[in-house]
Amino acid sequence: MSYMPVTDSMFLVAESREHPMHVGGLQLFTPPDGAGPDYVRSVVETMRAHTDVSSRFGRRPADPVGIVGNTWWTDVDSIDVDYHVRHTALPQPGRIRELFQMVSLWHETLLDRHRPMWELQVIEGLEDGRFAVYSKVHHSLVDGVSALKYMTLSLSEDPNDMEGRVVWQPGLGKRARPQEPAPAKPSGLFGVDPLGVAKQAAGLTSEVLGMVPASLKVVGNAFRDHDYMAPFQAPHTIFNVPIGGARRFVAQSYSLERINAIRRAAGATVNDVVLAMCGGALRSYLAELGELPDRSLTAMVPVNLRKEGDASDSNAVGTIIATLGTDIPDAADRLHMARDSVRAARRVMGELSPMQVLAVSAANIAGLAPGLLPGYSGRTRPPFNLVISNVPGPRAPMYWNGSRLDGIYPASIVLDGAAINITISTNYDNLEFGIVACRTSVPHVQRLIHHLEDALGELEKAFA
């Protein structure tokens, strides 16, 4: 058995039927020229031929039922590949609509803790001849950044590469890592380096003592910098309620060049433009339902805390809170407001150590904790209204066994008090939006796709 870090085990402890704690993704592929009617079956057979599994994808909680057992990993002797890799077909007429309906159903079901917690569906029957792959993996195993990294490593920039790699095969993660020297063998009692432990303890003490001035710095910025968004400044909306277990999933691609043109004209970042798009879309969506509040919605935005070259797969994510300008009718002003709030948050985070960033991030999301308690009513002021994240993806055209990757659409987690999640992934010259929402709390979520296009058009006109 191996110890599970608290940042990973919390996703197991917090999980329930209404709160599945896995991240997923939908990929669309165009088969190579000359692919016959049995091509998708051959894809499944190639994947199932990989019976060896890496240590990360070959482990499960030591005791799937007990709480204590969900803080330790145990390795399995072998995996049932047929269980983890499934072959299915869409009902006719095989439109994207039917695909999203199936993904919605798969994404709402819990992973089996008695097995390694990942599943993959290979889907044929799309009316345009393409096939799809939906995968999900528990957040205790990998976060969204690592999950997309593994998926990308299984692909190739060469359309003639027929190796057929899969995310669970041993050694896949080493393909993009420089060779690292073997760590020195520790000395001391039980193989523990006492000097190293002392250094770690001293460092931890220093970090803990630094929490007080760090907290004062954050509080001071909240009062001085009007652009800085602290938790609990969000209005109550239809998103900030207890959720059920059913999900809706929708997705869409938008040209990265369109977004880059706005970015250059506005002196902003791609993420700033994305937040402004989401703000405009949510403004129109809520107004359409008669639910638009007077105050601006805010979003919790995860931030990757890994340093350049860090190949760790453990969860390493901080959070900031950004305003979306949903109370502002002008698209340009909305973008400037989102940009300024992100810059203010980054200024604060830039002055803190990694551990202090994690502490501030925990404070940002702590307001969701009551949602894990029985009898939660959702009437307290929300710490933020929704989650919006951007996960880096491939920067070149990618292929799997000759099939061209056409789209990567993330599917993430929703919680009590945050009933909708918008996650974006880069895919060569597109930004791919994946939206997951509670089916009960967020009606007609597919309309957000059209509102996002309208919001992008408004920004283009504003910065033409």
Side-chain angles (χ1 to χ4, degrees):
M1 292 194 302
S2 58
Y3 169 69
M4 188 187 307
V6 173
T7 51
D8 297 345
S9 63
M10 67 180 184
F11 292 102
L12 288 165
V13 174
E15 187 170 56
S16 68
R17 171 63 191 89
E18 291 75 25
H19 308 97
M21 291 291 176
H22 52 253
V23 292
L26 175 68
Q27 297 89 47
L28 282 174
F29 292 92
T30 294
D33 293 339
D38 294 330
Y39 177 75
V40 178
R41 178 171 292 278
S42 73
V43 168
V44 176
E45 291 172 352
T46 298
M47 291 180 172
R48 287 177 175 171
H50 288 273
T51 55
D52 292 335
V53 64
S54 66
S55 58
R56 178 163 296 274
F57 287 88
R59 62 191 186 187
R60 63 168 179 79
D63 179 4
V65 179
I67 293 179
V68 175
N70 285 320
T71 59
W72 294 87
W73 292 115
T74 187
D75 297 326
V76 300
D77 296 329
S78 62
I79 65 168
D80 182 353
V81 183
D82 289 352
Y83 175 86
H84 290 278
V85 181
R86 305 172 186 183
H87 185 190
T88 189
L90 289 181
Q92 292 300 311
R95 299 167 299 181
I96 293 296
R97 177 179 178 179
E98 279 76 39
L99 179 60
F100 289 169
Q101 288 174 344
M102 296 298 291
V103 171
S104 299
L105 293 172
W106 290 323
H107 198 63
E108 68 189 37
T109 58
L110 295 171
L111 287 160
D112 184 1
R113 297 192 184 192
H114 295 269
R115 305 171 185 267
M117 293 181 294
W118 57 271
E119 295 174 5
L120 185 145
Q121 301 271 359
V122 182
I123 309 133
E124 62 179 317
L126 274 77
E127 61 180 354
D128 58 10
R130 293 186 293 179
F131 71 96
V133 176
Y134 165 75
S135 56
K136 66 180 180 182
V137 59
H138 204 276
H139 210 312
S140 60
L141 284 173
V142 294
D143 60 26
V145 173
S146 295
L148 189 54
K149 180 194 74 173
Y150 275 104
M151 190 279 293
T152 303
L153 289 175
S154 70
L155 303 172
S156 173
E157 295 183 25
D158 181 3
N160 298 312
D161 184 346
M162 297 296 172
E163 187 175 334
R165 289 175 290 272
V166 291
V167 296
W168 61 90
Q169 71 183 57
L172 182 69
K174 297 179 181 179
R175 292 181 67 230
R177 298 181 187 177
Q179 188 65 34
E180 298 178 357
K185 186 175 181 180
S187 59
L189 189 63
F190 301 119
V192 176
D193 179 4
L195 181 59
V197 171
K199 289 180 178 178
Q200 290 180 357
L204 179 61
T205 301
S206 175
E207 292 283 2
V208 171
L209 292 175
M211 292 300 179
V212 175
S215 300
L216 294 175
K217 185 181 298 182
V218 172
V219 172
N221 274 277
F223 281 102
R224 291 192 307 271
D225 192 338
H226 295 297
D227 294 324
Y228 181 81
M229 296 303 299
F232 300 103
Q233 293 182 333
H236 195 279
T237 72
I238 61 171
F239 306 142
N240 310 117
V241 295
I243 63 172
R247 299 288 179 266
R248 287 295 303 271
F249 171 81
V250 294
Q252 185 61 278
S253 299
Y254 300 93
S255 167
L256 188 56
E257 179 50 40
R258 295 176 67 188
I259 292 166
N260 273 327
I262 299 168
R263 171 187 63 80
R264 291 187 292 265
T269 67
V270 168
N271 283 339
D272 296 335
V273 179
V274 166
L275 290 174
M277 282 179 63
C278 293
L282 291 166
R283 173 183 169 87
S284 298
Y285 171 78
L286 291 172
E288 192 175 66
L289 297 174
E291 296 285 351
L292 180 65
D294 294 333
R295 297 183 63 184
S296 174
L297 272 67
T298 67
M300 186 271 275
V301 181
V303 178
N304 184 13
L305 297 181
R306 293 179 182 83
K307 296 181 179 179
E308 187 71 26
D310 185 357
S312 171
D313 297 321
S314 297
N315 290 281
V317 179
T319 66
I320 63 174
I321 296 178
T323 186
L324 300 179
T326 55
D327 58 333
I328 298 176
D330 183 78
D333 291 343
R334 192 181 306 123
L335 172 55
H336 293 149
M337 176 172 281
R339 180 197 62 190
D340 293 346
S341 71
V342 171
R343 286 180 177 177
R346 287 191 176 277
R347 281 196 297 270
V348 172
M349 293 299 189
E351 299 174 1
L352 305 179
S353 71
M355 182 173 287
Q356 291 168 345
V357 170
L358 285 174
V360 172
S361 300
N364 284 340
I365 65 174
L368 293 180
L372 303 176
L373 302 174
Y376 170 71
S377 66
R379 292 174 183 168
T380 58
R381 180 182 288 275
F384 47 84
N385 298 110
L386 72 157
V387 177
I388 301 175
S389 59
N390 193 342
V391 183
R395 297 301 178 90
M398 304 297 285
Y399 300 84
W400 189 88
N401 267 25
S403 294
R404 186 185 72 238
L405 176 69
D406 292 338
I408 307 172
Y409 305 105
S412 195
I413 296 171
V414 295
L415 300 165
D416 280 338
I420 186 170
N421 179 297
I422 303 175
T423 303
I424 301 95
S425 172
T426 313
N427 179 26
Y428 182 38
D429 55 2
N430 282 330
L431 281 187
E432 322 276 35
F433 282 62
I435 304 175
V436 175
C438 169
R439 192 181 189 97
T440 304
S441 308
V442 185
H444 312 299
V445 69
Q446 69 277 6
R447 295 179 184 174
L448 273 173
I449 296 299
H450 306 293
H451 291 311
L452 280 167
E453 175 62 40
D454 293 341
L456 180 56
E458 290 175 358
L459 288 166
E460 288 175 320
K461 291 179 181 178
F463 292 98

